[in-house]
Amino acid sequence: MENKLMRSWQADEFGEISEVLKIKNIPVPEPKKGEALIKVIVSSIGLPDKLAVEGNYPFVTNPPITPGQEFVGIVEKTGADFPFIEGTKVLGTSEYYGKGYGAVADYTICSKTTVLPFPTKLSDEQAAAFPGTYHVAYVGLVNRGDIKDGDSLLVLGAAGRTGAAALQLGKALGAKVIAVIRNDEQKEFCISQGADVVLNSSDEKLIDKIMELTDHKGVDVIYDTVGGKAHKSVINAIAYKGRVILVGFAGGSWPELNPQHIMFKGYAVMGALNTIRTEEEKQDAIKKLSELIGRGDINPPKAKLFNFNDTISAMSEIGKSKEGIVVQLS
Ligand SMILES: NC(=O)c1ccc[n+]([C@@H]2O[C@H](COP(=O)([O-])OP(=O)(O)OC[C@H]3O[C@@H](n4cnc5c(N)ncnc54)[C@H](OP(=O)(O)O)[C@@H]3O)[C@@H](O)[C@H]2O)c1
């Protein structure tokens, strides 16, 4: 396998996607201990891919970059100590995404810590984005936010991919769900995803409205996918012993946290990543999410499918489409 080449989209420098992202033939990578080589069927792409190629994603500091953090694929070759045998269909997070081995390629590498069993009730394209949306929401709402039936949940960036998954999961877990958006046209979409109430982040009475909706206690959990000014517009509505979950910075910057505010209001700030959790937490998430899918309590959106050769067009859809964006490899 060492000398075999594969097709891969790759950017050797940061820049305008249509200029720097190109199809290349590169060596098929070798899985090490705890890893597997995956033959990619579909790969989901989203905002982090766009930001990474443009040089604006803090976790990817050097090219080359191959888009596609998440995938559905078949285990082609295992290193020692990988939990699935060759030929198994799995989904997961691409291990060397920021090092030129993302999943918009014939093969990618996945580690035992990030691989997940394929959820059989989902289509390939629904499942492709599942780790970075629903598993992240599970980490944020359950493992970090400790959300309980009847708690209030506020989702920032509620109409985005990650936000919409938190709306659905929050509702399925019994929370009162408040969606915060910046464009009123997205109100109906948020309601279709489980929001009980939809508010606009530019509303001058935003805090008053959140306080009224929560019997003046404030909101128990804030799920923040936007950061920056959007975070600032709602943080004064956090409840005593509330949990603020940092998920992303779609607004361009992380929130400015105020230790004095955290101290005097007695709340916690935690981060959520689907790759940062214990094996026990991962197994619990797999089981509970699969039960919720089975009962129809959560239903990941369909995706727009693009052929491998049309990856540039797929990347240009990021931020425009409410559907997921998925590139088909085979
Ligand atoms: N922690 C994790 O594991 C994880 C996983 C996936 C993603 N993320 C991160 O989460 C963030 C969102 O990703 P995504 O895939 O959900 O992106 P997305 O689908 O493009 O959604 C982003 C949402 O944020 C809103 N938004 C953008 N800029 C805003 C601003 N300045 N003020 C208010 N709202 C704003 C957008 O509103 P409009 O619809 O009005 O444009 C959109 O609804 C990214 O930073 C990403 O890196 C983290």
Side-chain angles (χ1 to χ4, degrees):
M1 187 74 76
E2 275 142 55
N3 297 322
K4 197 173 154 187
L5 295 179
M6 66 174 187
R7 297 170 308 157
S8 173
W9 279 92
Q10 218 174 66
D12 287 330
E13 55 183 322
F14 294 136
E16 178 66 37
I17 289 168
S18 59
E19 284 168 21
V20 296
L21 198 58
K22 304 206 165 23
I23 296 178
K24 290 177 69 177
N25 285 315
I26 61 169
V28 174
E30 268 295 302
K32 301 192 195 87
K33 187 178 175 199
E35 296 178 343
L37 178 69
I38 307 289
K39 182 159 176 47
V40 181
I41 299 173
V42 289
S43 174
S44 164
I45 55 172
L47 192 55
D49 296 285
K50 181 173 183 295
L51 295 175
V53 176
E54 290 169 347
N56 298 319
Y57 194 57
F59 310 130
V60 177
T61 47
N62 291 305
I65 308 126
T66 293
Q69 282 193 41
E70 298 170 83
F71 62 82
V72 172
I74 305 288
V75 177
E76 174 90 4
K77 182 179 179 186
T78 56
D81 195 24
F82 190 78
F84 294 92
I85 59 167
E86 288 165 17
T88 314
K89 189 172 182 179
V90 293
L91 70 155
T93 306
S94 184
E95 213 60 19
Y96 300 112
Y97 158 76
K99 296 193 172 113
Y101 280 102
V104 185
D106 288 320
Y107 296 92
T108 191
I109 293 282
C110 181
S111 89
K112 67 174 187 178
T113 53
T114 60
V115 69
L116 295 164
F118 183 79
T120 48
K121 292 221 160 71
L122 299 184
S123 64
D124 287 352
E125 60 264 37
Q126 277 180 304
F130 202 60
T133 51
Y134 288 83
H135 275 271
V136 176
Y138 199 89
V139 171
L141 300 184
V142 178
N143 304 134
R144 309 283 193 271
D146 194 24
I147 205 153
K148 305 265 186 327
D149 196 13
D151 276 358
S152 50
L153 163 68
L154 184 151
V155 180
L156 275 179
R161 277 182 349 140
T162 323
L167 295 180
Q168 282 203 20
L169 185 60
K171 185 71 178 175
L173 296 171
K176 175 173 189 170
V177 183
I178 304 169
V180 177
I181 52 172
R182 60 173 173 176
N183 174 356
D184 282 339
E185 282 174 18
Q186 293 164 336
K187 201 169 174 176
E188 268 179 42
F189 171 75
C190 291
I191 288 169
S192 76
Q193 299 299 295
D196 294 298
V197 184
V198 185
L199 300 174
N200 194 306
S201 56
S202 64
D203 187 336
E204 283 176 8
K205 297 232 158 68
L206 183 60
I207 295 288
D208 295 345
K209 287 184 180 172
I210 299 167
M211 295 311 281
E212 265 171 43
L213 287 164
T214 56
D215 293 332
H216 297 277
K217 286 192 307 210
V219 73
D220 295 306
V221 177
I222 294 178
Y223 191 84
D224 183 359
T225 75
V226 181
K229 282 188 192 153
H231 176 96
K232 207 170 179 181
S233 71
V234 297
I235 194 61
N236 282 333
I238 188 72
Y240 166 61
K241 288 194 177 174
R243 287 83 72 200
V244 176
I245 314 299
L246 304 185
V247 182
F249 44 87
S253 62
W254 288 110
E256 278 179 29
L257 300 174
N258 178 345
Q260 189 168 307
H261 192 252
I262 294 169
M263 192 176 181
F264 279 91
K265 287 206 74 170
Y267 63 94
V269 181
M270 290 168 273
L273 268 174
N274 62 311
T275 48
I276 306 295
R277 58 180 165 180
T278 64
E279 185 57 29
E280 203 181 13
E281 288 170 338
K282 178 176 150 181
Q283 293 306 328
D284 171 61
I286 291 168
K287 181 169 174 285
K288 298 276 173 46
L289 288 171
S290 136
E291 286 168 7
L292 292 171
I293 294 170
R295 289 205 299 267
D297 289 347
I298 57 173
N299 185 19
K302 293 205 175 72
K304 243 182 182 168
L305 277 176
F306 289 84
N307 289 325
F308 176 79
N309 287 342
D310 298 329
T311 296
I312 300 283
S313 305
M315 297 282 285
S316 72
E317 280 291 305
I318 294 168
K320 292 183 195 155
S321 169
K322 288 285 151 253
E323 298 170 309
I325 302 164
V326 165
V327 177
Q328 257 178 323
L329 273 296
S330 48

